Amino acid sequence: VFAVEWLALRAGWQQEDGLHQVGGGIGLISARAALDYGISGEIGNGDSDEPARLWHGLDLRVHF
């Protein structure tokens, strides 16, 4: 979803093999470059002894 022309907001949910993940992100966009940040995490798996995990991602694209 574009909040304004230069700002994109993202959100999502995924279920695979009983594992639930949610994520979100923000993107700053111009004609020359784009900078995206995203975060994703596991939820809803209370049966596991493993700690919760978070993944962060940063993406820089330059157009020339």
Side-chain angles (χ1 to χ4, degrees), residues 29-35 60-64:
I29 301 160
S30 75
R32 294 260 183 214
L35 178 65
L60 174 63
R61 292 181 309 276
V62 179
H63 309 284
F64 51 112

Side-chain angles (χ1 to χ4, degrees), residues 23-64:
I26 186 168
L28 302 174
I29 301 160
S30 75
R32 294 260 183 214
L35 178 65
D36 288 306
Y37 169 75
I39 186 169
S40 175
E42 297 176 352
I43 62 168
N45 193 3
D47 297 337
S48 176
D49 291 336
E50 294 184 28
R53 295 186 181 112
L54 287 177
W55 292 271
H56 301 267
L58 187 62
D59 181 41
L60 174 63
R61 292 181 309 276
V62 179
H63 309 284
F64 51 112

Side-chain angles (χ1 to χ4, degrees), residues 16-28:
E16 184 176 333
D17 296 328
L19 179 65
H20 298 272
Q21 291 184 329
V22 295
I26 186 168
L28 302 174

